[in-house]
C-alpha cells in the first residue's frame, strides 16, 4: 500500500492530510463521525460531504474497508466468525463473542503468523505480512457494525486472532490509540487485551507505554523443554525470562498479567505440570486462564477432559492464584485461530 489510508490516520494526521487538500480541520470531525460513530464504510455513504469532495478524498486519502467473504454464526448464536478479504486479496479472521455483560471482538494483527506454534492453525500456515493499523481498525469497525444491527455495542477487543501482536507492535499500538481517541470510537484503553507468546522486547515496551491496556501471555506450560516443542519461540524467549519481564511489567504498571494455558490431553495437563506453573509464577501479580485445547484439523491432540481441567485449575488456585476456566467458543464454526482461513484456502486450491 503506497499511501496511508483513512483508517491508518490518527485524528491529527487526518487534519494534516486534509490541510494539504486545503480543507479546514472541521472536515476531520465530519469524517471521523462517519467512520467511528455512524459506522459508514465509504465516502459515498458520507452524505455530510459534497459529492465533489467525496471524489477528491477517495483519490487522496483512500478509504479501504475489508470485504466480508464469509459470516459464520455458531449454533448458539453467541459467536460469529468473519473471514475478511483485504485490498491485496489476502484474508484474515475476526471473531465476535457475545456475553451477558460484554461483547468482544477477537482480531488479527498479521496475515498468517511466524511463531509456528504447534497447536495453532495459523502458526502452521506460516507468515505472509503484517497488518497495517488501518487493517486492524477495520476489523473492529466490521465487528461493531455487525453488533449494531443486533442493537448491541462492542465493549472489548482482544488481540488473540491471527498473528503475534508484539511482532507487529507499532501497528497494534497505533490502532489502539486511534480507537481509544475520544473524538472517534472512544473505546477505553482497559477494554483492550494484547496476547503474546512472550515477545520480551514487546512486553518491555508495553511497560513503558502510557496505555492502560491488558497483557496476556500464552504460557501453556512452564516446562521449558515441552514449551519449546509447542512454541518454538521459547528457544529465544524461555519461560524464566518471560516471567522476569512480566515481573518488571507489573512493577512499572501496577497491572496484573493474565497467563493463558490451553490444556491438551496427555501433553501438558498433569498435576506435575500444574505445580510447575505455580512455581514459575511465584511472586507475579497475575490471573490464570485455563481452557481446553481447541482441536485443529490434522492434529492428533485432543482437549483435556472437564475433570482434568478442574483438577489442574484447583492445584493452581490452591496456592493463591486466581483462576478462571474458560470454555471454547464457536467450535462448530472453526472459531479457533486460522481454521476458517485454512479451509477457505483449501477450497480455492481444489476449485
Amino acid at each position: 500500500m503506497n499511501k496511508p489510508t483513512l483508517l491508518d490516520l490518527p485524528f491529527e494526521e487526518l487534519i494534516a492530510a486534509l490541510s494539504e487538500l486545503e480543507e479546514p480541520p472541521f472536515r476531520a470531525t465530519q469524517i471521523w463521525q462517519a467512520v467511528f460513530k455512524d459506522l459508514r464504510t465509504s465516502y459515498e455513504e458520507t452524505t455530510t460531504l459534497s459529492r465533489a469532495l467525496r471524489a477528491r478524498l477517495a483519490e487522496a486519502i483512500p478509504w479501504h474497508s475489508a470485504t466480508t467473504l464469509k459470516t459464520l454464526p455458531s449454533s448458539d448464536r453467541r459467536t460469529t466468525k468473519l473471514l475478511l478479504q483485504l485490498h491485496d486479496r489476502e484474508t484474515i479472521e475476526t471473531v465476535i463473542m457475545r456475553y451477558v455483560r460484554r461483547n468482544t471482538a477477537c482480531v488479527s494483527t498479521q496475515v498468517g503468523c511466524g511463531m509456528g506454534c504447534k497447536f495453532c492453525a495459523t502458526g502452521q500456515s506460516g507468515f505472509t505480512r503484517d497488518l497495517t493499523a488501518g487493517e486492524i481498525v477495520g476489523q473492529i469497525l466490521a465487528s461493531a457494525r455487525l453488533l449494531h444491527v443486533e442493537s448491541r455495542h462492542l465493549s472489548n477487543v482482544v488481540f488473540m486472532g491471527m498473528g503475534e501482536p508484539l511482532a507487529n507492535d507499532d501497528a497494534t499500538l497505533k490502532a489502539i490509540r486511534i480507537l481509544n481517541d475520544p473524538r472517534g470510537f472512544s473505546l477505553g484503553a482497559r477494554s483492550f487485551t494484547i496476547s503474546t507468546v512472550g515477545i520480551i522486547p514487546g512486553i518491555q515496551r508495553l511497560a513503558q507505554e502510557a496505555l492502560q491496556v491488558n497483557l496476556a501471555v500464552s504460557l501453556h506450560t512452564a516446562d521449558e523443554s515441552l514449551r519449546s516443542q509447542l512454541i518454538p519461540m521459547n528457544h529465544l524467549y524461555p519461560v524464566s525470562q518471560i516471567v522476569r519481564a512480566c515481573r518488571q511489567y507489573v512493577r512499572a504498571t501496577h497491572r496484573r498479567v493474565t497467563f493463558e494455558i490451553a490444556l491438551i490431553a496427555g501433553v501438558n495437563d498433569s498435576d506435575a505440570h500444574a505445580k510447575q506453573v505455580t512455581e514459575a509464577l511465584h511472586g507475579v501479580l497475575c490471573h490464570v486462564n485455563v481452557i481446553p485445547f481447541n482441536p485443529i484439523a490434522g492434529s492428533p491432540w485432543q482437549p483435556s477432559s472437564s475433570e482434568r481441567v478442574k483438577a489442574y485449575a484447583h492445584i493452581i488456585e490452591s496456592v493463591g492464584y486466581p483462576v478462571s476456566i474458560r470454555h471454547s467458543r464457536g467450535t462448530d464454526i472453526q472459531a479457533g485461530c486460522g481454521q476458517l482461513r485454512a479451509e477457505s484456502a483449501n477450497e480455492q486450491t481444489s476449485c
Side-chain angles (χ1 to χ4, degrees):
M1 204 175 296
N2 296 325
K3 64 176 74 172
T5 70
L6 176 61
L7 300 186
D8 287 307
L9 299 178
F11 192 77
E12 289 75 13
E13 291 183 23
L14 177 57
I15 290 177
L18 289 167
S19 177
E20 292 182 8
L21 299 176
E22 299 183 343
E23 290 294 334
F26 77 82
R27 293 293 188 205
T29 301
Q30 288 180 306
I31 293 169
W32 265 38
Q33 170 73 33
V35 173
F36 294 113
K37 298 186 184 301
D38 299 336
L39 301 177
R40 306 298 188 211
T41 61
S42 70
Y43 289 117
E44 278 306 303
E45 297 179 4
T46 311
T47 54
T48 52
L49 305 175
S50 71
R51 187 177 297 276
L53 178 55
R54 281 180 265 163
R56 289 180 66 213
L57 290 172
E59 177 65 28
I61 312 172
W63 184 341
H64 290 308
S65 293
T67 302
T68 302
L69 296 181
K70 291 186 179 181
T71 302
L72 296 181
S74 62
S75 56
D76 62 9
R77 317 301 291 185
R78 294 190 299 165
T79 304
T80 302
K81 188 161 199 174
L82 305 179
L83 182 67
L84 304 175
Q85 186 177 71
L86 306 174
H87 74 285
D88 58 359
R89 303 187 67 81
E90 293 290 350
T91 56
I92 56 173
E93 299 176 354
T94 302
V95 179
I96 301 156
M97 296 168 286
R98 302 163 184 81
Y99 299 91
V100 175
R101 294 183 179 85
R102 69 185 189 279
N103 299 295
T104 300
C106 176
V107 302
S108 300
T109 53
Q110 296 175 316
V111 179
C113 184
M115 299 298 106
C117 300
K118 303 303 182 186
F119 49 82
C120 174
T122 302
Q124 299 307 296
S125 70
F127 172 76
T128 301
R129 69 171 177 84
D130 288 330
L131 296 185
T132 66
E135 289 169 334
I136 296 170
V137 169
Q139 295 173 75
I140 284 88
L141 294 176
S143 303
R145 290 186 203 104
L146 189 149
L147 289 167
H148 180 72
V149 172
E150 305 169 1
S151 298
R152 297 175 187 265
H153 177 72
L154 181 66
S155 58
N156 295 83
V157 173
V158 295
F159 293 91
M160 298 181 183
M162 293 168 48
E164 164 56 56
L166 294 185
N168 188 21
D169 50 343
D170 284 343
T172 298
L173 293 175
K174 184 178 181 181
I176 290 173
R177 287 194 166 91
I178 289 172
L179 293 161
N180 177 237
D181 193 315
R183 293 165 293 191
F185 200 68
S186 192
L187 190 61
R190 295 183 183 183
S191 301
F192 295 93
T193 298
I194 295 176
S195 178
T196 176
V197 297
I199 306 297
I200 291 175
I203 295 173
Q204 292 170 335
R205 177 178 178 179
L206 281 182
Q208 303 305 317
E209 290 284 333
L211 278 174
Q212 293 187 320
V213 298
N214 302 303
L215 172 64
V217 176
S218 296
L219 186 66
H220 305 306
T221 180
D223 182 315
E224 297 282 16
S225 176
L226 175 58
R227 192 171 191 269
S228 293
Q229 295 175 43
L230 298 174
I231 304 174
M233 191 57 66
N234 195 69
H235 291 292
L236 183 60
Y237 302 122
V239 173
S240 58
Q241 293 181 22
I242 293 171
V243 172
R244 186 179 305 122
C246 288
R247 287 196 182 97
Q248 295 168 350
Y249 171 88
V250 171
R251 283 198 294 270
T253 65
H254 307 291
R255 298 183 65 76
R256 73 178 185 181
V257 178
T258 296
F259 290 95
E260 300 164 319
I261 301 174
L263 291 182
I264 307 170
V267 175
N268 66 337
D269 63 349
S270 69
D271 288 358
H273 287 125
K275 291 173 183 174
Q276 278 183 308
V277 168
T278 64
E279 293 166 2
L281 300 185
H282 179 71
V284 181
L285 178 64
C286 67
H287 185 99
V288 178
N289 273 342
V290 179
I291 182 170
F293 166 68
N294 196 342
I296 61 174
S299 172
W301 292 332
Q302 294 297 317
S304 301
S305 67
S306 59
E307 292 77 13
R308 182 90 295 268
V309 171
K310 291 176 183 176
Y312 185 103
H314 176 72
I315 291 172
I316 295 177
E317 195 171 35
S318 68
V319 297
Y321 293 107
V323 179
S324 297
I325 296 177
R326 285 172 42 203
H327 299 285
S328 297
R329 297 287 298 268
T331 54
D332 58 324
I333 56 167
Q334 301 169 306
C337 178
Q339 295 181 42
L340 179 57
R341 177 174 179 261
E343 181 194 67
S344 179
N346 290 336
E347 289 174 355
Q348 292 177 20
T349 301
S350 63
C351 289

